[in-house]
Amino acid sequence: MGIKLTALGAAQEVGRSGFIVDSGDKILLDYGVKLGPEGTEYPLPVNTNLTAAIISHAHLDHSGHLPALFDVSQPLVYMTPPTLEIAKLLWHDTLKIAGLEGMEAHFTKEEIAKTERFTFPLTYNRHIEITKKSSIEFYDAGHIIGSAITKLNLHDKTLVYTGDYKPEETRLFKPADLNMGRADFLVTESTYGDSDHKPRKEVEKEFVEAVQDTIEHDGHVLVPAFAVARSQEIAEVLHEYKIDAPIYLDGMAQAAARIFMQYPKYLKNSEFLKKALHNVHWVDKPKVREMALKRPGIVITTSGMLQGGPIHYYLKKLYNDKKSSLFLTGFQVAGTPGRILMDTGKINLNGANVKMEMNLKKFDFSGHPGKTEMLNTIKKLNPEKVICVHGDAEIIDLFIMNIEEQGFEAVAPKRGETINLC
Ligand SMILES: [Zn+2]
Ligand SMILES: [Zn+2]
């Protein structure tokens, strides 16, 4: 019996992750969406009877389409308990946004409830048999709360799926746990397959200095950040460096932070996060939002790639204020307003394309490994074959060259393509 992998999404692109590993048992790895400039894009449909599904972490590009699956099939789904909690928050938010925009979502509240009923919460380092021939184990991925690297044992072969992972320690999370032995096949993310990151401590320092500088010059600092993990990390960094200015936390990062506090074991230092969150003003009503711009301060809010959310409220007020700063903190997917702003210096506000006058800078607070870290992981797991996913096409090309230079075989499936692994 051979093993085949079919890519439903995140194939030579970032977003809408979805892969089916077929060894007789058919296991779905992630089922996410891509929030593109022309609306949401979906992975290919699942046209087979699944044995099980696995969600690596809650980010919508990995979990966002899962409830839609329950329209047609009902596999048992494995994910960590915090992944389920955060994903539920994001799924309900998806329904809310669809409602506000007068669009129809691809799933209903009932399907979210069904997804929850069919979810088997699995913690790290617990080996579990899903059938007689297949078993799985999760390892801490260090990317966001509850994020997991999945090791699948299929007959006598092993396949490791990295999902998104971070081998470097960050303020919130321990480094990814890569002590999983050898892998025959490694399905790896490739987000930064062409470059390395600066050490996190350096990035933090530069960020804090830039924040300080803006505040001293009487400006506001807007920090668009992903609701899950990056926002809370930024709150910790500002607390650690004792920034002397009010800090506001707006948008869904607040609800996510509450979930974080329910799962202290999945954090590196929950006490410190508690203190950092105590130090911020929670924007829970419009009045607080108005207050946030009354005097120089920092606003951490969604969305991280400027696709919507409260950041637009602040941008409309500040985009032409030269004293203020807009500090991006994460990967900007091609086609998103954040990426367009970086490339053109312009942003669409209220339907008009305006020139950004704020001091614009991107800080590399990445939740992903750099090229060298990924190559080290490959050497450590020593696979027969590397399958590169979750990366822009040009970046994957360079990454594959680098992998091959190390003497490994690497491929990058296209969407819809099936690869015979053995
Ligand atoms: Zn992610
Ligand atoms: Zn991702």
Side-chain angles (χ1 to χ4, degrees):
M1 183 76 225
I3 301 175
K4 289 183 290 197
L5 179 134
T6 302
L8 306 177
Q12 310 202 3
E13 65 176 340
V14 176
R16 53 171 154 175
S17 285
F19 313 95
I20 295 175
V21 177
D22 180 355
S23 62
D25 289 335
K26 297 180 179 78
I27 300 169
L28 177 70
L29 300 172
D30 283 340
Y31 210 40
V33 295
K34 182 175 180 179
L35 304 173
E38 267 101 53
T40 310
E41 296 174 272
Y42 301 91
L44 294 172
V46 173
N47 288 325
T48 184
N49 236 332
L50 292 173
T51 312
I54 285 159
I55 297 297
S56 64
H57 66 289
H59 277 155
L60 282 177
D61 62 315
H62 297 259
S63 75
H65 206 42
L66 182 69
L69 194 68
F70 281 80
D71 193 17
V72 288
S73 104
Q74 0 198 280
L76 199 53
V77 187
Y78 297 87
M79 62 180 103
T80 64
T83 295
L84 178 63
E85 276 317 301
I86 300 271
K88 265 168 38 192
L89 173 73
L90 301 180
W91 294 331
H92 283 289
D93 189 61
T94 300
L95 291 185
K96 201 175 99 189
I97 292 171
L100 287 174
E101 290 175 351
M103 308 273 274
E104 207 166 319
H106 279 232
F107 53 82
T108 60
K109 265 194 185 127
E110 287 66 42
E111 276 144 19
I112 296 178
K114 213 172 185 184
T115 308
E116 192 178 357
R117 279 203 303 281
F118 279 84
T119 294
F120 184 94
L122 183 63
T123 51
Y124 302 135
N125 306 110
R126 233 187 101 202
H127 184 248
I128 199 162
E129 283 183 5
I130 43 183
T131 66
K132 282 211 171 71
K133 292 173 199 132
S134 308
S135 64
I136 63 168
E137 187 167 350
F138 282 158
Y139 293 81
D140 189 348
H143 170 67
I144 63 166
I145 192 160
S147 62
I149 299 175
T150 306
K151 183 177 184 181
L152 290 175
N153 296 296
L154 309 163
H155 305 268
D156 54 347
K157 296 284 184 188
T158 55
L159 180 147
V160 168
Y161 171 56
T162 65
D164 295 352
Y165 76 113
K166 181 78 181 165
E168 187 190 18
E169 184 172 29
T170 59
R171 266 189 202 274
L172 292 172
F173 307 113
K174 290 179 211 144
D177 173 11
L178 298 167
N179 297 310
M180 55 197 59
R182 246 203 95 240
D184 293 301
F185 310 109
L186 175 64
V187 183
T188 178
E189 66 141 302
S190 318
T191 322
Y192 290 94
D194 64 334
S195 55
D196 285 315
H197 304 298
K198 260 189 212 170
R200 191 58 138 237
K201 286 267 149 66
E202 261 176 55
V203 180
E204 287 183 0
K205 259 206 163 123
E206 284 172 16
F207 171 73
V208 167
E209 276 165 19
V211 167
Q212 201 72 269
D213 191 58
T214 303
I215 300 287
E216 276 163 20
H217 290 88
D218 253 2
H220 300 276
V221 181
L222 297 185
V223 188
F226 305 135
V228 184
R230 191 60 31 73
S231 295
Q232 295 79 9
E233 180 181 4
I234 297 293
E236 281 207 7
V237 171
L238 294 170
H239 186 56
E240 170 77 22
Y241 285 85
K242 300 188 173 56
I243 292 287
D244 186 21
I247 304 164
Y248 293 84
L249 186 67
D250 198 350
M252 214 185 3
Q254 301 172 85
R258 283 190 201 102
I259 296 176
F260 275 43
M261 296 316 295
Q262 288 164 24
Y263 294 94
K265 281 202 192 116
Y266 285 82
L267 300 167
K268 200 173 78 186
N269 183 347
S270 61
E271 277 310 306
F272 191 79
L273 178 61
K274 206 169 162 184
K275 281 183 200 146
L277 292 173
H278 197 72
N279 184 41
V280 304
H281 301 272
W282 294 61
V283 182
D284 48 7
K285 40 182 169 302
K287 225 179 138 192
V288 186
R289 198 169 276 170
E290 281 164 32
M291 235 169 67
L293 297 183
K294 287 253 154 71
R295 68 181 182 99
I298 303 132
V299 180
I300 307 167
T301 187
T302 46
S303 78
M305 302 185 212
L306 314 179
Q307 287 150 306
I311 188 69
H312 278 250
Y313 166 86
Y314 299 101
L315 283 174
K316 281 173 200 162
K317 305 235 175 226
L318 292 177
Y319 75 93
N320 57 3
D321 178 18
K322 290 196 168 99
K323 282 191 298 192
S324 292
S325 298
L326 177 67
F327 293 153
L328 300 170
T329 56
F331 187 77
Q332 305 293 313
V333 170
T336 59
R339 179 71 159 269
I340 293 168
L341 175 64
M342 277 172 54
D343 293 344
T344 67
K346 287 191 172 160
I347 184 158
N348 198 307
L349 296 173
N350 286 336
N353 226 3
V354 297
K355 188 165 171 267
M356 174 59 63
E357 302 283 356
M358 297 173 79
N359 169 29
L360 173 70
K361 210 169 165 198
K362 189 185 150 209
F363 292 88
D364 190 10
F365 278 100
S366 176
H368 298 270
K371 178 185 80 180
T372 308
E373 288 171 309
M374 290 195 284
L375 291 174
N376 287 340
T377 304
I378 294 169
K379 284 181 221 159
K380 189 173 164 82
L381 301 190
N382 194 22
E384 241 168 69
K385 195 178 262 184
V386 183
I387 301 95
C388 300
V389 301
H390 197 291
D392 291 336
E394 327 77 82
I395 289 175
I396 284 196
D397 284 347
L398 295 168
F399 188 37
I400 286 185
M401 267 167 47
N402 277 294
I403 297 170
E404 287 174 343
E405 267 168 31
Q406 303 291 328
F408 293 93
E409 189 188 332
V411 289
K414 293 194 183 73
R415 192 153 49 95
E417 196 182 336
T418 297
I419 300 177
N420 290 313
L421 297 178
C422 66

